[in-house]
Amino acid sequence: MLDEIESHKIMAMEPEKRDRIINAAMREFSKGFKNASTDEIVKEAGISKGLLFHYFGSKEKLYEFIILDSVDLMTTNYFDLINYEQTDILSRIWQMTLLKMDLSRKYPLLFDFAAAAYVHEKENPNSKFADTFKDIQAKVAANAFKNIDYSVFKDGINPEKAINIIWWSLMGYANSLVPGEKEIADFKLEYERYLSEMQEYFDIFKKIFYR
């Protein structure tokens, strides 16, 4: 998969322009493959339609590249960087949240696109990528909460349920910070405030659940 990305001719393009195309494609394909318009992609990316098809040949090939690239981005810049040896659940989730936020600053629609692509591929009987998404999901499910020290929780608190509450709450908050329609620059300006607010939530969870 990585070879297909690195050998693709768009990788010779100037990085800033390439990222504009990738972000524009992720935004549009987040609507679903059928609803996505290459006209909207080139308009947002600020390139000609001829240039887009010079690099990708078709809407389908562009979509396939964006899937491969998004999987590689999430794997190398998120999943593979998580320290699974960290046994404190709040410290681990803090790290995971920071990694996701940092990646979302550069590719604001990455996780929205991945969710939409996962649904599309799962429902597509001729999918080339359904197994790829299943493998990622299995890897995250198997590793996200392994090797956790349950002894830090107060007596009478179910650790698994406490972890679910913490995870759902913080992931929901983190998702609300992804810029979406906002300018990426605005997101960067607010970054320190977001981190400060999140730290307050972590402090609350410690008081509620920890000894």
Side-chain angles (χ1 to χ4, degrees):
M1 178 164 49
L2 183 58
D3 290 342
E4 292 182 59
I5 297 171
E6 292 181 341
S7 63
H8 197 283
K9 56 186 177 181
I10 197 175
M11 300 310 290
M13 180 183 284
E14 191 271 321
E16 190 274 335
K17 180 184 286 188
R18 183 175 67 240
D19 284 348
R20 286 207 319 269
I21 296 172
I22 290 172
N23 275 317
M26 284 181 181
R27 182 186 301 278
E28 194 62 18
F29 283 125
S30 294
K31 302 174 182 177
F33 177 79
K34 291 183 179 179
N35 295 326
S37 165
T38 53
D39 288 334
E40 290 299 318
I41 293 172
V42 298
K43 179 181 178 181
E44 182 172 337
I47 62 171
S48 69
K49 199 166 186 178
L51 182 64
L52 184 72
F53 284 101
H54 165 74
Y55 279 101
F56 295 102
S58 67
K59 178 181 173 181
E60 289 79 7
K61 291 298 182 183
L62 171 60
Y63 176 71
E64 290 179 5
F65 174 83
I66 297 300
I67 285 183
L68 292 174
D69 191 50
S70 67
V71 169
D72 180 63
L73 286 170
M74 289 188 296
T75 300
T76 59
N77 295 279
Y78 183 53
F79 301 127
D80 287 352
L81 297 182
I82 297 170
N83 178 15
Y84 295 111
E85 298 305 313
Q86 171 58 257
T87 61
D88 181 83
I89 185 61
L90 287 177
S91 296
R92 186 180 295 183
I93 293 178
W94 176 255
Q95 181 198 29
M96 294 169 71
T97 302
L98 292 182
L99 288 170
K100 183 176 181 180
M101 287 175 66
D102 285 342
L103 188 53
S104 295
R105 284 200 295 171
K106 187 173 184 181
Y107 299 100
L109 272 296
L110 173 60
F111 291 95
D112 283 349
F113 165 73
Y118 171 71
V119 171
H120 177 270
E121 296 303 311
K122 187 172 64 173
E123 296 175 349
N124 181 1
N126 300 315
S127 170
K128 298 179 181 179
F129 302 106
D131 289 341
T132 300
F133 283 105
K134 287 179 183 177
D135 290 344
I136 291 176
Q137 189 178 45
K139 179 180 178 181
V140 174
N143 293 314
F145 301 132
K146 76 173 184 180
N147 194 35
I148 294 299
D149 180 12
Y150 289 161
S151 68
V152 300
F153 290 95
K154 293 177 180 176
D155 294 337
I157 288 180
N158 183 308
E160 287 85 0
K161 286 184 170 56
I163 289 172
N164 284 339
I165 292 171
I166 294 168
W167 175 255
W168 294 333
S169 299
L170 292 175
M171 289 302 100
Y173 178 72
N175 287 337
S176 74
L177 305 183
V178 176
E181 297 301 322
K182 296 180 181 179
E183 292 294 329
I184 298 176
D186 293 339
F187 184 71
K188 291 179 179 178
L189 289 174
E190 295 294 313
Y191 188 66
E192 292 301 323
R193 182 178 67 83
Y194 293 154
L195 292 185
S196 177
E197 286 184 358
M198 290 190 67
Q199 188 60 64
E200 291 180 16
Y201 286 112
F202 274 81
D203 291 341
I204 291 171
F205 284 129
K206 284 184 179 180
K207 290 178 181 179
I208 294 173
F209 295 118
Y210 278 23
R211 295 180 184 275

